[in-house]
């Protein structure tokens, strides 16, 4: 009936009559159902009712039969239990057709008769549909009386189809009366009365009729000593008899049975069946138990009641949900109490961390809070749910107990000690058999457990595990639920941990190999992890100082990979304790004790406190190490004591320490940089140092830390490379320090033994074990190669990706250096630790590194270099053994075999590097040379004999001391002596092997040298070859390591010594020294240090050749590297093709000047990187630069200025500058004069006439103009050659001696020069220049004398050499004296002054006309000069000669730099060089005007006119230059200019105050007589005119001219 009422809600009355639908007063209950008709169309075709009498009847019955085929036993539900609507809807539609009079009533009844015969349940189904129609038709009030009347008629005749009794049972009473089946009108009233009496009327019962004897007999029967044959059925019969005899209340009888059960729970086998048979309804028993529980709500509930209830629940007599609702307190109350306990525990911890500032409170003695809150037994007894859970666990009903546990907060129940112990008893039961069978042999005479659980054989058979697979049923789930409460039973902890260890071993897993996937072993694997995480590890916090438990746990954990272990430690340290109030309190108290302990740490009490640290580490290692690491990050001086204190730790504690270190490194809230953003934070540096120390001293697994570093590199973060660097340094003894002494660097050139003895600051001892541990950690995780490649790639990510755009350059440089140093250190460790076979096996080939991993050449060859020698030696041994005369091979034959082996090994590499560069590169240098350069090292080129000898001497001394020792322990001294002797023998053997190896390499290089540099043309050897060599070889490697810096210098020297063809040593050195500005600027701090070492090594070779002519002649003369002219035929026969000793000294002077100019530029730049790098390089090259006193003064003045400026701004620069000045001052006594450094030109004699034009000592001079083309494709503009158009190029063709310059000689007469002949008064020529550039006179008196002579062409001299610096200084002193005397004499006569003023005005008016004439003459001279230069250049090119300009060349690339800052810097350097450093235009103007002057002098007969013309030109040019300088000077330059003015003024004051010193200096220079003559000679009219003009300029102009102007125009005067 209910089913069809639901059906009516979804399927309402079908189509109604049209009249009813249009009725305005129709009832809202009548609704036309469109969905029903749609359903009918799908269920039954309604067309059959139109021809029902013909064929519709049979189709209807057929449809019903089809619907029964799905499930014949039920017409209502299908085979899936779903409701079938087909039959119901068909019968429903059939009846509605009759109600609408569309079908005859009799036809419908006949069809129903046929349908009823098909199934026995159809009558019931038809009546259900009739009830629906009854409800629907009864609601029709108006206009539908006909349907109701038809319905009544159908029901009257329905007794023919359905039994009448079924009609009376199903239909409503009103319908039955309406139909007439029930004819009694009072039937309904009687029905109500009977129903009320049956259900609602209470039966009267007289309690007093119960006889107490019946209850007494009942109690007696239930509490007697039952015999064995007594059964529950017999007891039940007695109870029934007593109830009937004494008319007992059945409910009271049930209560008595339960109470009797409470008194005798051991007879549960009898009472359980009795209660089940007496009262099958468990809900009634729960009500009786509930009333009992409610009775004891306010008092303690007896344990017996819990026991009875648990037994009934265990055997299924009652349900837990029925009795749980009667228990108190409520779940909400228990949850609130649990949360309050957690809050209270956290509050206690917060108070522990408070620092009180109230002295009164501090004076009071405060009691320490309890470590764990005591068990509140009274509160526990008041909780009936806890009592029932405990009772269930004691009877072994785990399922129901677990349901109660799940209803309450996690650990809220289990934390109660009785419940925890009950669960532990169950776990003991479950593991008893497995433990004593698999893990621990039971001792003889072991008594079985007394627990009552073992009495229940069914329970034992159900819960006890027979093998490891049964543990998953009950043991592991119960252990997970028990959680930290397992600490109540440490015996159970030991059992479980030992079972885990045995199970892990049986599975055959370890830290590198896990269980097979989707297997039972894998399930056990993760179950063990879960139990460790949830129960075992948190329980350790409750166990005070239990070392053995810690070791047992480690016996299991060591078989898990480090990432699984670290995840367990993370939850143990950070999450587990937060869920338990007692654990929160324990952790708070542990932190308090740890803090108090760390406050007492010192070097004196390490041992005592170490024991305490060990005890705390057993139970709370995470908390202990967190605080220790925090203190170490703040106070780095604790690293040593803490490392000593940790020697009492267990293996588990050490492993947890490894995790805590990684966790400290990953703390995101801490800044890894200092506040200034230029360096790493101190906490990170301290932590890195601690890592290196602790991992070296103790055996802690490194895999996690190494993987962390690799992951950081993969994320393009290189900060943590500091950790790796410290670990490799401490564990393997491989240092990454760049600050190595020269002796250490020399020792690093030797073999492994020498490097270990003398190559490091600290002796590499006791690192074998730790080094092997590091090696194994890298090998087990395949991290060795990965970290190398990641570091190599990270070097370039540091600059462009890792550091932000606003990062300080100092930070970027430091990170780059750290990455570079760590890479070198790590690569050195791999090469020294791994055997060569292992190294070759693990490392990818060099081609793979270059092409697939995109590693740069320097890093790739650095990593692959150890493989080459090994492979060559292997191949050599194979070839030697393959020879049938292997034992009779001569040394030459062996060498040939070695060269053949080298060729076989290196040729594939040579071919593989060819695609790395374009074919144009290989036109200049060969791939073989590139591979040779990168594959060799200092060990291959140089044997440090001095280092070997020094170390052997030390060992001899130590051996003698050990032999002479008077200690009582003679055996110890003897062992020491033997050890020293063994070391000496090893060093000697190693030196011998290295000598043999170096000889082989030398022979190999000798064989290969001719194919290194290919001769495309003469220019190639001069430009492109050197460019490619610098770009691809020298510069990338010289900044790689300090040893590589020495190697680069040594390799250049080796190429020179080999007399390699097509390689110019002079050009190479010149390109390196000419301008180091950009190289210095682009270096990081570490690269600057290495670059400085490289320059120092190069300067050492240069200065060694410079110091001794014999050495120079031996090592440089007749060497191809010192050829100055390159021919296509590569032939050099003329002696003047080579640079002579004096010219070489001039070149050295030029190089020193160039270095000075670059350093001054960097120091004046105000840029941090340039200043720092310049100072670093100055520190490195100090042994060989500066050696000239004047250059040293300039450098010292600049560095001192930097020191003063950076004293408060940048202390690091101040410290470096102060250190350098101190070292430079110590070297002051070793400085050389310029005349000692190279040959300086002497001052000319007045008497000696000038030589004739075009001849020197009767030899013709060929005028040539040679321009040095700039090398193309250079690595950077830093190292390009310099060139400068020269004014007059004179080359001596026939002279075999070095060519010299001749200065113009002063004469008093204005006679024409001598036309020809060899004069006896000629001066001896001192200097010569290969390119024939002019040396201009630098003193003003010389200019005056030259103007009175006929024009002459000066022999070419060196523009950049400083040979005239002293003469210039002396000339300027003469000028100053002369000006002073002129000014004095000018005041003597006012008439003279007026006359001079008129002369000056006249010359000023004539000046524009003269300037125009000079300019036009200069243009014509320039064109002629250009034509001659082009012709000369073509002639040299046709003859295949290329001249190298080394002495006097000044690069075009420097011109922009000189234009920008030449005026500022060159005023400080004017005493160093007589070259004008003005702009290109300024030099052209000087050249043009000089040409005009010579032309005018040659064409004029009056010397006075020429003198006045030249004077006016000079003054005009000086005014223009001054105006141009004023316009171009920036604010910064003006400040610098002002400082220099003050400095020069101070210098002059000091000179004037020290007259005696000045006279002595003039006497030394031989100018005493010249000064006297100049002072007393008669002034010329032009001089007096000049003095007048100077006076008119005023005092300020005169002062400015004296302080600044004179020096600022030195170069202009010299060039003029």
């Amino acid at each position: 009936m209910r089913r069809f009422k639901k059906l009516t809600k979804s399927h309402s009355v079908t189509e109604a009559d049209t009249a009813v639908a249009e009725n305005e007063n129709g009832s809202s209950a009548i609704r036309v159902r469109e969905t029903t008709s749609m359903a009918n169309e799908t269920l039954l075709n309604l067309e059959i009712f139109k021809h029902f009498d013909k064929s519709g009847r049979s189709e209807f019955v057929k449809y019903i039969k089809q619907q029964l085929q799905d499930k014949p036993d039920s017409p209502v539900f299908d085979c899936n239990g779903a409701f079938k609507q087909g039959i119901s809807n068909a019968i429903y539609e059939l009846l509605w057709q009759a109600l609408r009079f569309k079908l005859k009533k009799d036809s419908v009844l006949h069809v129903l008769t046929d349908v009823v015969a098909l199934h026995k349940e159809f009558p019931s189904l038809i009546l259900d549909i009739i009830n629906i129609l009854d409800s629907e038709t009864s609601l029709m009030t108006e206009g539908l009386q006909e349907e109701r009347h038809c319905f009544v008629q159908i029901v009257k005749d329905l007794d023919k189809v359905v039994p009448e009794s079924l009609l009376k049972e199903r239909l409503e009473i009103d319908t039955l009366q309406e139909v007439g089946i029930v004819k009694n009108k009072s039937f309904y009233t009687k029905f109500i009365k009977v129903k009320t009496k049956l259900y609602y009327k209470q039966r009267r019962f007289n309690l007093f009729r119960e006889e107490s004897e019946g209850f007494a007999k009942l109690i007696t029967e239930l509490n007697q000593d039952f015999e064995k044959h007594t059964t529950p059925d017999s007891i039940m019969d007695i109870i029934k008899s007593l109830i009937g005899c004494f008319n007992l209340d059945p409910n009271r009888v049930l209560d008595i049975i339960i109470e009797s059960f409470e008194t005798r729970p051991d007879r549960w086998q009898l009472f359980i069946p009795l209660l089940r048979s007496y009262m099958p309804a468990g809900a009634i028993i729960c009500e009786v138990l509930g009333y009992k529980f409610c009775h004891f709500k306010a008092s303690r509930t007896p344990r017996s009641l819990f026991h009875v209830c648990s037994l009934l629940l265990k055997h299924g007599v009652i349900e837990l949900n029925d009795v749980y609702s009667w228990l108190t307190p409520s779940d909400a109350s228990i949850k609130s109490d649990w949360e309050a306990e957690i809050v209270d525990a956290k509050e206690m911890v917060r108070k522990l961390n408070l620092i009180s500032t109230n002295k009164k409170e501090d004076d009071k003695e405060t009691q320490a809070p309890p470590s764990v809150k005591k068990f509140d037994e009274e509160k526990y007894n008041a909780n009936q749910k806890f009592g029932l859970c405990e009772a269930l666990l004691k009877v072994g009903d785990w399922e129901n107990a677990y349901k109660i546990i799940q209803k309450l907060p996690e650990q809220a129940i289990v934390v109660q000690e009785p419940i925890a112990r009950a669960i532990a008893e169950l776990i003991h039961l479950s593991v008893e058999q497995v433990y004593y069978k698999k893990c621990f042999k039971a001792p003889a005479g072991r008594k079985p457990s007394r627990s009552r659980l073992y009495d229940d054989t069914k329970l034992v058979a159900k819960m006890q595990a027979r093998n490891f697979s049964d543990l998953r049923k009950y043991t592991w789930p119960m252990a997970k639920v028990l959680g930290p409460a397992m600490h109540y039973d440490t015996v159970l902890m030991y059992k479980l941990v030992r079972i885990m260890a045995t199970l892990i071993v049986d599975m055959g897993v370890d830290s590198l190999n896990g269980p097979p996937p989707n297997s039972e072993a894998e399930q056990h694997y993760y179950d063990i992890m879960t139990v460790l995480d949830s129960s075992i590890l948190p329980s350790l916090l409750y166990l005070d100082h239990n070392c053995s438990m810690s070791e047992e746990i480690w016996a299991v954990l060591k078989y898990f990979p480090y990432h699984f272990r670290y995840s367990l430690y993370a939850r143990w340290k950070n999450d587990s304790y937060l869920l338990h109030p007692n654990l929160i309190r324990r952790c708070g108290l542990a932190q308090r004790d740890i803090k108090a302990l760390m406050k007492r740490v010192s070097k004196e009490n390490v041992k005592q406190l170490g024991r305490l640290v060990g005890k705390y580490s057993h139970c709370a290692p995470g908390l202990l190490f967190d605080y220790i690491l925090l203190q170490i990050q703040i106070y780095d001086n604790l690293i040593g004591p803490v490392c000593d204190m940790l020697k009492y730790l267990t293996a588990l504690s050490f492993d947890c320490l490894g995790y805590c270190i990684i966790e400290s490194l990953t703390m995101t809230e801490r800044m890894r940089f200092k506040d200034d953003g230029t360096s790493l934070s101190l906490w990170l540096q301290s932590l890195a140092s601690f890592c290196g120390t602790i991992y070296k001293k103790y055996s802690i697994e490194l895999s996690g830390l190494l993987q962390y570093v690799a992951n950081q590199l993969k994320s393009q973060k290189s900060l943590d490379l500091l950790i790796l660097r410290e670990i490799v340094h401490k564990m393997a003894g491989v240092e990454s320090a760049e600050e190595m002494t020269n002796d250490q660097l020399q020792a690093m050139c030797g073999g492994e033994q020498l490097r270990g003895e003398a190559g490091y600051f600290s002796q590499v001892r006791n690192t074998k074990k730790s080094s092997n541990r590091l090696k194994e950690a890298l090998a087990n995780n395949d991290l060795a190669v990965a970290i190398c490649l990641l570091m190599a790639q990270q070097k370039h990510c540091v600059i462009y990706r890792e550091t932000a755009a606003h990062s300080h350059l100092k930070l970027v440089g430091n990170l780059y250096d750290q990455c570079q140093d760590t890479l070198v250190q790590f690569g050195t460790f791999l090469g020294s630790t791994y055997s060569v076979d292992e190294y070759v096996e693990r490392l990818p080939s060099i081609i793979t590194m270059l092409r697939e991993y995109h590693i740069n050449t320097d890093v790739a060859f650095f990593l692959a270099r150890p493989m080459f020698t090994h492979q060559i030696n292997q191949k050599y041994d194979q070839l030697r053994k393959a020879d049938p005369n292997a034992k009779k091979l001569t040394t030459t034959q062996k060498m040939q075999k070695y060269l053949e082996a080298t060729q076989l090994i290196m040729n594939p590499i040579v071919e593989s590097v060819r695609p790395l560069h374009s074919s144009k590169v290989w036109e200049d240098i060969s791939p073989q040379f590139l591979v040779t350069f990168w594959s060799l090292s200092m060990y291959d080129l140089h044997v440090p004999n001095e280092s070997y000898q020094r170390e052997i001497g030390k060992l001899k001394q130590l051996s003698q001391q050990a032999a002479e020792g008077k200690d009582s322990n003679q055996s110890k001294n003897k062992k020491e002596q033997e050890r020293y002797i063994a070391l000496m023998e090893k060093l000697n053997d190693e030196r011998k092997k290295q000598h043999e190896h170096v000889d082989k390499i030398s022979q190999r290089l000798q064989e290969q040298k001719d194919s290194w540099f290919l001769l495309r043309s003469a220019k190639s050897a001069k430009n492109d070859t050197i460019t490619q060599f610098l770009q691809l070889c020298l510069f990338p490697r010289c900044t790689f390591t300090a040893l590589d810096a020495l190697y680069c210098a040594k390799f250049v020297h080796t190429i020179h010594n080999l007399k390699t063809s097509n390689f110019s040593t002079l050009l190479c050195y010149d390109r390196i020294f000419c301008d180091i500005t950009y190289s210095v600027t682009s270096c990081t701090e570490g690269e600057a240090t290495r670059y400085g070492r490289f320059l120092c090594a190069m300067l050492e070779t240069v200065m060694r050749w410079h110091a001794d002519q014999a050495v120079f002649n031996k090592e440089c003369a007749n060497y191809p590297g010192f050829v100055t002219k390159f021919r296509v035929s590569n032939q050099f026969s003329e002696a003047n093709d080579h640079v002579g000793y004096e010219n070489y000294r001039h070149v050295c002077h030029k190089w020193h000047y160039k270095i000075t100019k670059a350093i001054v530029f960097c120091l004046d730049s105000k840029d941090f990187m340039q200043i720092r790098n310049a100072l670093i390089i100055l520190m490195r090259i100090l042994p060989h630069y500066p050696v000239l006193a004047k250059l040293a003064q300039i450098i010292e003045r600049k560095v001192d200025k930097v020191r003063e400026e950076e004293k408060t701004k940048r202390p690091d620069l101040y410290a470096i500058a102060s250190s350098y000045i101190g070292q430079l001052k110590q070297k002051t006594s070793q400085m050389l004069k310029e005349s000692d450094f190279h040959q300086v030109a002497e001052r000319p004699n007045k008497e000696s006439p000038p030589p004739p034009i075009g001849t020197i000592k009767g030899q013709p001079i060929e005028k040539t103009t040679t321009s040095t083309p700039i090398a193309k494709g250079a690595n950077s503009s830093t190292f390009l050659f310099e060139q400068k158009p020269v004014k007059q190029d004179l080359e001596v063709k026939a002279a075999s001696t070095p060519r010299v310059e001749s200065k113009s000689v002063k004469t008093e007469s204005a006679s024409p020069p001598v036309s020809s002949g060899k004069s006896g008064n000629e001066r001896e020529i001192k200097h010569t220049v290969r390119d024939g550039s002019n040396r201009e006179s630098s003193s003003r008196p010389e200019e005056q004398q030259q103007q009175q002579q006929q024009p002459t062409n000066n022999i070419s001299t060196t523009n950049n050499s400083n040979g005239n610096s002293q003469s210039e200084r002396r000339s300027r002193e003469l000028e100053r004296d002369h000006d002073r005397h002129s000014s004095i004499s000018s005041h003597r006569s006012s008439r003279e002054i007026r006359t001079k003023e008129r002369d000056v005005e006249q010359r000023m008016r004539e000046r524009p006309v003269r300037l125009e004439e000079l300019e036009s003459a200069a243009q014509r001279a320039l064109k002629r000069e250009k034509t001659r230069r082009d012709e000369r250049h073509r002639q040299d090119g046709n003859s295949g000669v290329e001249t190298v300009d080394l002495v006097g060349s000044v690069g075009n690339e420097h011109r922009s730099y000189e234009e920008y800052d030449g005026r500022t810097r060159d005023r400080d350097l004017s005493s160093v060089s007589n070259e004008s450093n003005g702009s290109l235009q300024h030099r052209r103007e000087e050249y043009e005007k000089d040409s005009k002057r010579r032309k005018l002098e040659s064409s004029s007969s009056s010397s006075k006119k020429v003198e006045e013309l030249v004077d006016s030109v000079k003054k005009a040019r000086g005014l223009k230059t001054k105006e141009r300088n004023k316009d171009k000077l920036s604010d910064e330059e003006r400040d610098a200019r002002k400082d220099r003015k003050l400095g020069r003024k101070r210098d002059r004051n000091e000179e004037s105050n020290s007259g005696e010193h000045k006279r002595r200096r003039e006497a030394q220079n031989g100018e005493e007589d010249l000064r006297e003559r100049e002072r007393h000679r008669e002034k010329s009219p032009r001089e007096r005119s000049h003095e007048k003009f100077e006076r008119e300029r005023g005092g300020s102009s005169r002062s400015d001219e004296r302080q600044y102007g004179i020096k600022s125009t030195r170069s202009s005067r010299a060039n003029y």
Side-chain angles (χ1 to χ4, degrees), residues 624-786:
L624 173 68
F625 298 140
D626 270 355
Y627 190 74
I628 287 178
L629 292 175
L630 180 63
Q631 293 297 303
I632 285 175
Q633 293 168 33
I634 300 174
Y635 310 106
D636 56 353
N637 57 350
L638 286 177
I639 294 176
V642 167
C643 289
D644 295 335
M645 288 166 54
L646 298 181
K647 62 182 177 182
Y648 299 101
L649 265 60
T650 61
L652 176 63
S653 300
F654 277 126
D655 198 52
C656 190
L657 174 60
Y659 163 74
C660 292
I661 289 174
I662 297 177
E663 189 182 50
S664 298
L665 291 171
T666 56
M667 294 175 66
T668 57
E669 66 272 8
R670 302 198 65 175
M671 291 296 296
R672 290 174 172 256
F673 304 114
K674 292 182 179 179
D675 294 335
D676 57 1
T678 59
S679 55
L680 296 179
S681 296
L682 293 177
W683 70 266
L684 185 59
Q685 300 177 28
S686 301
L687 198 57
S689 178
F690 175 74
C691 287
T693 306
I694 201 70
Y695 279 98
K696 159 104 173 32
K697 192 168 187 178
Y698 303 107
S699 180
I700 307 175
E701 185 172 353
L702 285 156
S703 301
L705 190 61
L706 294 175
Q707 187 64 55
Y708 165 75
V709 174
N711 292 341
Q712 291 293 97
L713 288 174
K714 196 173 181 180
S715 303
Q716 298 178 356
K717 299 176 182 178
S718 63
L719 297 181
D720 296 287
L721 283 178
L722 183 63
I723 307 294
L724 181 63
R725 187 172 67 182
E726 288 293 331
I727 288 177
V728 175
H729 176 207
K730 298 290 176 60
M731 297 188 69
V734 180
E735 296 180 356
S736 64
E738 284 292 329
E739 299 298 327
M740 302 177 73
T741 63
N742 292 330
D743 291 341
Q744 287 175 325
L745 276 177
Q746 288 298 322
M748 295 298 290
C749 301
E752 188 66 32
Q753 191 70 34
L754 180 62
R755 290 199 295 268
E757 290 294 326
Y760 301 113
F761 284 105
S762 58
Q763 287 291 323
V764 182
R765 304 195 187 282
N766 302 325
T767 59
K768 186 175 181 180
K769 293 182 179 179
S770 58
S771 178
N772 287 333
R773 283 197 294 114
L774 179 58
K775 172 185 171 183
E776 291 173 1
L778 291 168
N780 292 338
N781 298 275
D782 294 330
L783 289 175
V785 177

Side-chain angles (χ1 to χ4, degrees), residues 1077-1349:
T1077 307
Y1078 300 105
S1079 303
V1080 173
T1081 306
S1082 60
C1083 287
T1084 64
E1085 184 174 2
E1087 288 178 338
T1089 303
R1090 296 185 282 272
Y1091 186 54
R1093 287 189 183 277
F1094 168 69
L1095 292 178
C1096 182
M1098 299 291 281
L1099 283 171
E1100 180 182 5
T1101 304
V1102 167
M1103 297 308 295
R1104 187 167 60 85
W1105 292 338
H1106 174 276
D1108 190 352
Q1109 185 173 3
V1111 175
F1112 176 84
N1113 293 333
K1114 179 182 178 181
E1115 299 184 7
C1116 301
N1118 298 324
Y1119 274 67
F1122 275 68
V1123 173
T1124 57
K1125 293 182 181 180
F1126 292 87
R1127 291 174 171 78
V1128 178
S1129 60
N1130 198 23
Q1131 298 294 327
F1132 48 95
S1133 57
E1134 297 181 8
N1136 58 5
D1137 282 355
H1138 291 81
V1139 174
Y1141 179 64
E1142 284 302 326
N1143 269 352
Y1144 173 73
R1145 295 179 72 185
H1146 293 327
V1147 172
C1148 292
H1149 184 273
K1150 168 198 169 182
W1151 290 339
H1152 278 255
Y1153 164 73
K1154 290 291 186 178
I1155 294 174
T1156 306
K1157 191 162 69 170
I1159 293 296
V1160 168
F1161 177 81
C1162 293
L1163 294 177
D1164 285 342
S1165 65
K1166 307 297 181 182
D1167 181 73
F1168 172 81
M1169 299 293 289
Q1170 287 188 344
I1171 297 174
R1172 185 199 63 186
N1173 293 349
L1175 291 173
I1176 291 174
I1177 289 178
L1178 283 174
M1179 295 278 286
R1180 290 297 167 192
I1181 64 177
L1182 186 59
H1184 306 290
Y1185 174 87
V1187 295
L1188 288 170
K1190 190 63 179 180
L1191 298 184
Q1193 292 175 6
I1194 295 171
I1195 295 295
E1196 182 179 359
R1197 185 162 63 248
K1198 290 295 179 182
V1199 175
D1200 188 63
K1201 180 182 177 183
V1202 169
R1203 184 178 63 169
E1204 295 300 326
E1205 291 176 351
E1206 305 296 343
K1207 188 173 184 179
T1208 57
K1209 297 178 182 178
R1210 293 178 282 205
D1212 48 351
L1213 295 182
Y1214 171 77
I1216 301 175
S1218 300
S1219 175
Y1220 177 74
I1221 287 180
Q1223 297 182 40
L1224 184 61
K1225 288 182 177 179
Q1226 293 178 359
K1227 197 184 172 185
T1228 304
S1229 60
Q1230 305 173 10
M1231 295 297 172
L1232 301 176
K1233 298 178 182 179
E1234 187 174 355
S1235 58
D1236 296 336
F1237 190 85
H1238 72 139
Q1239 199 167 16
V1240 182
E1242 297 181 1
R1243 297 185 61 81
N1245 295 325
K1246 291 183 179 180
E1247 294 78 7
S1248 59
I1253 299 174
T1255 61
I1256 294 180
K1257 295 184 180 180
Q1259 298 178 4
I1261 299 176
E1262 180 183 359
K1263 297 183 179 180
T1264 61
T1265 303
T1266 304
S1267 62
T1268 304
I1270 299 174
K1272 299 180 181 179
N1275 189 19
S1276 67
S1277 60
T1278 310
F1279 306 100
L1280 293 177
F1281 253 107
E1282 301 175 338
Q1283 67 177 1
K1284 177 184 176 181
V1286 294
K1287 299 174 185 176
Q1288 285 182 336
D1289 299 338
L1290 303 175
E1291 181 177 356
V1292 179
K1293 290 293 184 179
S1296 59
T1297 59
R1299 290 172 296 172
V1300 300
E1301 71 163 330
S1302 173
K1303 291 192 175 183
S1304 56
V1305 182
K1306 295 183 181 180
T1307 60
E1308 295 182 359
S1309 64
S1311 61
V1314 179
S1315 60
S1316 63
K1318 185 174 181 180
S1319 174
N1321 293 330
E1322 284 182 344
R1323 292 170 44 86
E1324 182 182 358
I1325 301 173
K1326 298 292 185 180
H1327 303 284
T1328 208
V1329 179
R1330 290 290 178 181
D1331 63 349
S1333 61
N1334 288 337
R1335 175 178 301 274
E1336 290 87 356
S1337 60
S1338 59
S1339 65
R1340 188 164 174 237
E1342 290 175 4
E1343 293 176 2
Q1344 296 172 2
Q1345 293 298 327
Q1346 285 176 352
Q1347 293 165 4
Q1348 298 175 8
Q1349 297 174 358

Side-chain angles (χ1 to χ4, degrees), residues 879-970:
L879 294 175
R880 187 168 51 84
K881 292 177 181 178
D883 196 313
N885 299 323
K887 297 182 179 179
K888 299 180 181 180
L889 291 176
T890 63
T891 305
T892 306
Q893 291 174 336
K894 289 181 180 179
M895 183 59 67
Q896 291 299 326
K897 295 287 184 185
Y898 179 80
L899 295 176
E900 184 180 355
T902 303
Q903 188 174 7
L904 291 175
I905 295 299
M906 301 307 293
N907 278 351
I909 301 174
V910 170
E911 294 301 322
S912 61
V913 301
R914 193 180 295 273
L916 297 178
H917 301 288
S918 63
S919 58
K920 186 177 180 180
V921 173
W922 305 129
E923 293 176 0
D924 301 314
I925 61 174
S926 65
Q928 186 183 30
F929 173 76
L930 184 71
V931 172
T932 302
F933 175 83
W934 283 105
S935 61
L936 298 181
S937 62
M938 276 297 288
Y939 180 83
D940 304 315
L941 300 181
H942 173 62
V943 180
N945 292 312
E946 295 181 359
S947 299
Y948 277 111
Q949 198 62 37
R950 183 171 54 252
E951 290 304 314
I952 291 173
K954 290 181 181 178
L955 292 174
K956 283 183 180 178
Q957 185 178 0
L958 292 173
S959 176
Q960 291 177 359
Q961 291 177 359
E964 297 172 359
K966 299 180 180 180
D967 297 340
S968 58
N969 195 347
Q970 294 295 331

